Amino acid sequence: MRGEVCFDCLQQRIKSDFSDQIVFSYGLSDSPLPFGSSAVVKVSDSSEEGVSASDFDSSSSQFVLEYLRKEEHGCLVNYVEGLGNSNDDVDCDENLICSHFKATNGRELGLGTEDISCESSGSFPSRRALAALLPIAQISKCCSASHLQKLAFSFLSECPEDYILASLNRLIGGESSAQETESFLRLLGLPLLEEESDLPGLRHPNLSPVLGVLTSSDCLVSVLPKPPFTLENILYYSPNALKSEWHRSFIVYQLLSALAHLHGLGIPHGDIRPSNIFLSESLWSWLKIYSKPDLGSGDANSSASRKSLCVEGCYYSGLYADLKISSHLDWQTIFDKWWKGEASNFEYLLFLNKLAGRRWGDHTFHPVMPWVIDFSKKPEKDSDSGWRDLRKSKWRLAKGDEQRLARSVLRKAVRSVYEPNEYPSDMQRLYDWTPDECIPEFYCDSRIFCSLHPSMSDLAVPPWASSPEEFIRLHRDALESPHVSSRLHHWIDITFGYKMSGQAAITAKNVMLSSSEPAVPRSVGRRQLFFRPHPVRLRFSREKEQSRNDQEMHTFHGFGVDNKRSVILEADEYLEETEEASAFSEHASHLSPQYHLYQNLDESPLHESSSENTNKADTSLSGTSRNKGVPSDICLNYLLEHIDVRDEVSIEPQELLLWRQDFCLGKAIAEDIFSIGCVLAELYLMRPLFNSVSLATYLEGGDLPELIKELPPLTKVLVEACIERDWRRRPSAKSLLNSPYFSATVKSAYLFAAPLHLLAKGGTRLYYAASFAKQGALKAMGSFVAEMCAAYCLPLVTTLLSDNECEWAYVLIKEFTKYLTPVAVQRLVLPSIQKILLTTGYSHLKVSLLQDSFVRELWTRIGKRVYLEMIHPLVISNLYNSPDKISASAASVLLIGSSEELGAPVTVHQTILPLINYFGKGIRTDGIEVLVRIGRLLGVNYIVKQMMPLLEHVVCFCIDLSSMKKPEPVHSWCSLALTDCLITLDGLVALIPDELLIHELTKGRLCLHVRVLMQKNLELRVLQFAATSLMSICQRIGQELTALHVLPQLKELFDEFAFSEKSTDVSDSLNWKIRTTERNSHPESPIKSRMDLVLLLYPSFASLLGMEKLRQGCPTWLLLEQYLLKHHNWKWEYTGRSSRYNMETKPVLSKGPASKHTPKTLLNGSGRVVPQSQGLRNSNHLKPHIHDPVEGQEEVLSPLVHEPWSWFPSPVACWDGLDIGRFGNPKDEQRWKIRASVLSSAHAHRGALRSLVVSEDECTVFTSGIDPGFKGSVQKWELASLSCVSGYHAHEEVVNDISILSSTGKIASCDGTIHVWNSQTGKLIHLFSESPADQDQDQASSYLSSNNNSNQSNRHVSHGLSNGIFDGNMYTCMHYLEYMDQLVVGTGSGALRFIDLARGQKLQLWSGESFESGSTSLVSALCSGGSHTKQGDGASVSPSWIAAGFSSGQCKLFDLRKGGVISSWRAHDGYVTKLAAPESHLLVSSSLDKTLRIWDLRKSWTPEPFVVKGHNDGVSGFSIWGKDVISISRNNIGVFSLSKSQDEDEQQQQQRIIPQKLYMAEKGGRVRSDLSTICVLPFSRLFIVGAHDGYLRICC
């Protein structure tokens, strides 16, 4: 283009205009060469404290500066100068002038202003159009860093369009609408009555904003925010980001809305292409206005033009003066020139880099060239010595110019510590050191050898080159030599071609790791340009290469140069090569995309007179209607009416053809519609619709490209309408917006989301989303549209917010939780909640989310299983090392309140153990309070059986660890953990009766406190705390029990003190520092040595027991009393039972744990802060477990005979204990040790128990089995009491399968028919059965549909013989598809029936081809899995395949989206009993052939299995927890790990397991009945088995 300059001069120009405060990042250009007029800069000193304005957040401090020469943009210059003159009297801040209208805010610069009347710059059409394009642009009469920083600050903090959204918020709040609100809604397409006065200049939300126009000496400088991505980026590097057909339609709808606005102003765009369409991460689009000069003349890319624009003596102008490439050349032209020798290798490689999206100056994505020599020696033309092997890859990232990079880039790209001596100092070391390819500068720019850093030496040239200039010449000659030219195609195949993927990449060892998040948009990446081998350059085919090398006409120092000679070629001699090149050129024709009918500006309708365009244009804005029925003002109900989505009926292509069209009113506008059609087609095809050849063919004969047949039918109709050859027949943008092609969901989502993309403050946008949602917007839109809009709203709640904004964020989260589907809540809302809960400081929003009421609403929507997996660990994390007391208090109340409903097993493993694992790691006092309060809530049996053994385990573990030789931090951790444990123990001890206290604290062994006191390596504070706690317990149990149980255990301790020679302690060496005051023997003062324990214990026991009893139990009493008298002046006086210092019981706790420390506080149920003891007494809901306390004593709990969960054992045996090396998520720290022990059992059915299923909260289990009369029944069991609470007895046959239907309370049970019933009432809801007529009808309909759609060919069944006891019309098994609320059911004839549970009707019937034997077998097992991608409509996360196992041992994979059979293989030699998909790519199967098999579907759709053997009988079932698979066979269980199957070598594709018997924990003996079914309770660390004797057994 005429305004392009080299990037070096552009960087100097920016530095001259704006100083060093504006950092030049890289230049932007459409050319393969480093020439352009735009650059990305970073405004380093701009204030970024405010909330960022919009989706430009990811690059908020980066902006695009575009230099527009004044002589080429006269209309814009006149407008800017006229605007400045008209505002001369206005008091503006340092020459910054607001745009034409006061109400204006944000439009794009650089439209082709020749389309607007330029003859009179002050005329209304020109000023009106430019004002519409520049509404928020601030005009400055000069260029300076301060002006640019103020523009950046205004964009980031002041948010120039905030007032529009604030006005809309007032409308939603019930106030009357303002003019700017109505004008903005009119832009979005709402039918409103247009005002007679001039419209305020508002930026359309799909036009990229121009923030300002600055004036320099010869240029205007437009300032734009840098967009995160372009549509070209998405199509090249992350096409999976276009998740569904709905998202593609949504993008096109946005573009059409922007075009309708422009065309309404009489302004055509002129250059719609993917590179001019900007996108955010959430796929909101902005249309960049095409910038072109007023007058066009000459070749804009000629070297003369470049010289005139660059500074005098520009280095780059001479450097690239001889190159013959420009942005106007397409790939087919440059390939033809290169192949014939008319373009150099260097030029062709630069062009390929441009096609791949690589950018000059961007150090993360710089153009690459091959290293053609290895620098071991000077290469020779007749030898391979010294040449690099171009068949092998050396490419990773684009570096290699360390001497020319800034230190910040070196630290980021190479290593964080800058060490100049470690960087290569010569070319040989550079080549050997870097895994990266070369950069173009090493072939053309000798300055690359000069270091920018004083501490880093210049890069040395090889010894065979005398200077950098000579090396560049020789290196360039080597690149153009016959040796390289004959082999360059291999390097192109590796770097840009077919060896980038597939088997070819594996063979070439060129496999790149795929992105872990393929659906995330990316602006850089690897683009594969070619998908077949690149042809060798003409005259260098392998057969003729040697003969041609002998005919070289000219060489430079041994390198042949072939591109400067002319050789006469015989046509027949090169016919084969010509055909190959022609076929390759046609294959890669997508690299020459065409989006416009007119490529020459002189032929373009853009040069028709502006008056014609203006007169023809529809000046009404998009969506504006002049009908009398439209309202003159709007209200909230009017908005809700237009976003309301009712049930839609799909339309057929014929209906779309009949839609009423309004045609374009000008050639230029029609050209935009043609471009939109091309972009729409490319969104579906993932390649351009037209190339230069196919476009010429279409213009000449009207033949459409074959690619158009690959489009969906509706899209094909719309594209054909947009690309009509007769421009008069193309529909207008407004007509396209109103077409039935765009569903009501697209229009509703657009109306809701568009205001969120104004340049407004985050708080204003949050208020809009929350208030509109609260007023019923999400309900009106429906769950699908709400899900689509969540991506625009939920990021607003995770930023730093004020308390008032937190309230609105809470409202928004609640509304989305209420109206999204459960799967969408899990995928979209829960990650936002996780981010909020992970914040470390105080957050009003976090406290709100930790309220019990919100969590229970969350349980209702997503279920407890998802809550326990995703939210519960983060709730606990707020009690660990958290500086925020309020959040910790809220988390503690939530954990306490939820523990009873979660049940004892879940509470132990998901709350108690994680909190105990935080002992010594910074657990807050609130966390300890949680342990005590949960113990009190769940009862004394729970404390005694569950919690006390765990605490005893912790004490013993810490004592053992402290006696080992460990580093000081380990001993310090032991002391902290012991302190936390003893505090918890004290709180629990206060809750249990006296008669249990002695038994639990002694159990025939040493008291835990005495064991602690016996240790010599513990810190003094721990010993002191243990002593005071011990005295508290002794005072509570009284004199007699203390003398009987405690004093004998203290004898050894007192003996040790009596014979100790020193008064110091070993623990002093632990460097534990305590603050001490003046010498004081008061027992509550910190002790200074271990011997001080004598003063703490002996007088206290004397006061409690009396001196006579104490001396009787302590033979060394005389030595101890002498020590106390000598060192502490203590002597027993017989005037009473107290010492001379009146040390009655100050170190002893008389009222529980709260009395020996500063009273801790708890939050009661209402959120009010109360003292702990008071909180315990005032908990009304705990009264059943409380009996009146004795005066002066903490109230205790009475053990109940039939407490819930009384069968649940202590988890100590399955617990590995504390691990001081783990400080992460406690959920990941626990491993499950399976003991094969039966904890409890119940006789569930008279006959065999056939199936069981556990609710997701692990509190309820449903069993099915055989009852009298061989009828089936379903029983509902509460696990807390292990009792049957209800049943369902409407089955006539044996029930063989049960399924819980999400959290609705519905149950599906199968006895050959499907019963769907209410688990609360037992009432039947739906009954489904299969009949031959149903199958015949499905077979006929499937046959008819198969003629129309090959993907449906499997949807019929071939009637086979009945198999086993199941008739072909009976249902055999089922699987619940939660995301779509459907059941997939297997039949006795081998078919799959789908059932819509919401509507209560049967859907399609699927069946694959018959097996090899020609007969069918019944479906015995089902599961679903696959990649978690969206449906075609983008609804929600879903599996992609269904696996079916058959009684014959076959397995089939069905494509869940298309309905076809993906694969079918012989999986087992017997009946397949169960299938499961633990991961998206894994399938686990079991069979009566005594094996389990793991199938890795990533390797092949018919993979080789990993076989698990070891069972002596058929495997009747299995269940999975994490990586462990628990299988059952007869009365044995077996456990194996899935991780082993993935770690084994391919030669060792099997594993043996050791079966073990189940044994009865209490009665002893083994379970002899055969096991029929198994189900794991992952959060409770239990599993349940059903047996043929009808018993239900809970095991661990």
Side-chain angles (χ1 to χ4, degrees), residues 1125-1143:
L1125 179 63
K1126 177 180 179 181
H1127 293 279
H1128 300 286
N1129 196 25
W1130 182 90
K1131 182 179 181 182
W1132 180 260
E1133 294 181 353
Y1134 294 95
T1135 57
R1137 294 183 59 191
S1138 62
S1139 67
R1140 60 181 289 185
Y1141 281 95
N1142 196 26
M1143 292 164 35

Side-chain angles (χ1 to χ4, degrees), residues 18-44:
F18 298 102
S19 77
D20 292 333
Q21 294 181 357
I22 307 303
V23 180
F24 179 93
S25 296
Y26 56 88
L28 300 175
S29 175
D30 291 330
S31 170
L33 301 177
F35 290 86
S37 59
S38 303
V40 176
V41 299
K42 182 176 178 60
V43 183
S44 57

Side-chain angles (χ1 to χ4, degrees), residues 768-971:
Y768 161 77
S771 59
F772 204 10
K774 188 176 182 181
Q775 294 293 342
L778 300 185
K779 180 180 181 180
M781 291 189 298
S783 60
F784 173 72
V785 182
E787 182 179 343
M788 297 299 102
C789 292
Y792 305 115
C793 300
L794 291 176
L796 299 172
V797 306
T798 57
T799 57
L800 294 176
L801 304 172
S802 65
D803 286 352
N804 187 47
E805 292 170 344
C806 286
E807 293 289 345
W808 287 110
Y810 180 64
V811 169
L812 187 60
I813 291 175
K814 287 189 65 175
E815 290 297 314
F816 274 110
T817 303
K818 183 178 180 180
Y819 291 109
L820 291 179
T821 63
V823 176
V825 172
Q826 178 182 349
R827 184 171 57 87
L828 299 173
V829 179
L830 293 193
S832 297
I833 295 178
Q834 288 177 319
K835 290 180 182 179
I836 296 167
L837 294 180
L838 285 171
T839 56
T840 55
Y842 169 74
S843 169
H844 181 68
L845 179 57
K846 178 165 69 172
V847 174
S848 299
L849 295 178
L850 289 172
Q851 296 303 308
D852 184 75
S853 58
F854 174 77
V855 171
R856 291 184 183 276
E857 291 180 16
L858 207 58
W859 285 357
T860 303
R861 294 297 296 156
I862 63 172
K864 295 176 183 176
R865 176 185 58 82
V866 177
Y867 164 80
L868 289 170
E869 288 177 350
M870 300 184 66
I871 303 299
H872 191 74
L874 301 180
V875 176
I876 294 177
S877 69
N878 280 275
L879 298 174
Y880 156 66
N881 237 0
S882 173
D884 178 24
K885 295 182 179 180
I886 299 178
S887 299
S889 297
S892 65
V893 172
L894 175 59
L895 292 173
I896 295 167
S898 63
S899 60
E900 191 171 24
E901 186 167 347
L902 289 175
V906 175
T907 299
V908 164
H909 290 286
Q910 306 305 318
T911 302
I912 302 297
L913 285 177
L915 287 173
I916 290 177
N917 268 289
Y918 283 144
F919 280 178
K921 302 174 185 177
I923 187 173
R924 293 184 60 88
T925 56
D926 301 87
I928 296 177
E929 297 289 358
V930 168
L931 295 172
V932 176
R933 291 286 299 274
I934 288 178
R936 188 177 194 286
L937 186 65
L938 298 182
V940 63
N941 284 345
Y942 185 83
I943 295 175
V944 172
K945 293 180 62 176
Q946 306 295 328
M947 304 187 72
M948 298 288 283
L950 290 173
L951 296 177
E952 179 185 1
H953 185 85
V954 173
V955 171
C956 296
F957 177 82
C958 292
I959 288 175
D960 294 341
L961 191 62
S962 65
S963 61
M964 302 177 184
K965 291 184 179 180
K966 296 288 184 180
E968 189 275 334
V970 176
H971 288 278

Side-chain angles (χ1 to χ4, degrees), residues 299-457:
D299 183 5
N301 289 278
S302 65
S303 59
S305 179
R306 293 181 194 135
K307 290 180 180 178
S308 64
L309 297 175
C310 292
V311 298
E312 185 177 356
C314 173
Y315 179 80
Y316 276 103
S317 294
L319 199 62
Y320 301 101
D322 60 337
L323 298 184
K324 306 179 182 64
I325 55 176
S326 72
S327 57
H328 294 297
L329 293 176
D330 60 20
W331 175 81
Q332 288 171 310
T333 301
I334 192 67
F335 169 75
D336 186 63
K337 288 178 175 291
W338 170 81
W339 184 72
K340 293 178 179 178
E342 298 173 6
S344 66
N345 291 336
F346 185 73
E347 291 172 318
Y348 184 57
L349 292 175
L350 285 179
F351 203 90
L352 293 183
N353 274 278
K354 176 59 184 175
L355 293 176
R358 293 185 168 272
R359 303 185 288 255
W360 285 88
D362 185 350
H363 300 298
T364 65
F365 208 42
H366 200 76
V368 291
M369 294 275 180
W371 293 105
V372 296
I373 56 179
D374 62 11
F375 299 98
S376 59
K377 58 176 293 187
K378 183 179 179 179
E380 301 175 359
K381 69 172 184 177
D382 297 326
S383 171
D384 290 338
S385 178
W387 296 97
R388 175 257 179 102
D389 186 356
L390 293 175
R391 296 174 183 267
K392 297 180 181 179
S393 171
K394 199 176 187 293
W395 181 90
R396 292 295 183 274
L397 296 173
K399 294 201 301 279
D401 56 346
E402 282 78 11
Q403 278 75 7
R404 297 285 296 173
L405 290 177
R407 288 188 183 181
S408 59
V409 179
L410 292 177
R411 292 190 180 101
K412 181 179 180 181
V414 184
R415 56 176 298 174
S416 58
V417 179
Y418 173 66
E419 293 289 346
N421 294 329
E422 295 187 8
Y423 289 95
S425 57
D426 56 61
M427 290 299 296
Q428 177 68 54
R429 187 184 172 195
L430 175 62
Y431 177 82
D432 296 335
W433 178 75
T434 177
D436 311 317
E437 288 292 359
C438 186
I439 59 174
E441 285 84 345
F442 280 106
Y443 289 103
C444 61
D445 188 0
S446 61
R447 297 182 304 174
I448 194 68
F449 290 88
C450 300
S451 174
L452 296 178
H453 315 292
S455 57
M456 185 184 293
S457 61

Side-chain angles (χ1 to χ4, degrees), residues 80 159 235 469 554 667 690 764-765 889 940 942 952 966 1003 1082 1203 1369 1425 1431 1449 1499:
V80 169
C159 304
L235 294 173
E469 290 76 15
H554 184 69
K667 288 184 180 180
F690 286 107
T764 309
R765 290 187 286 151
S889 297
V940 63
Y942 185 83
E952 179 185 1
K966 296 288 184 180
K1003 291 185 177 178
H1082 195 287
E1203 280 190 349
N1369 301 323
Q1431 285 182 273
K1499 300 177 180 178

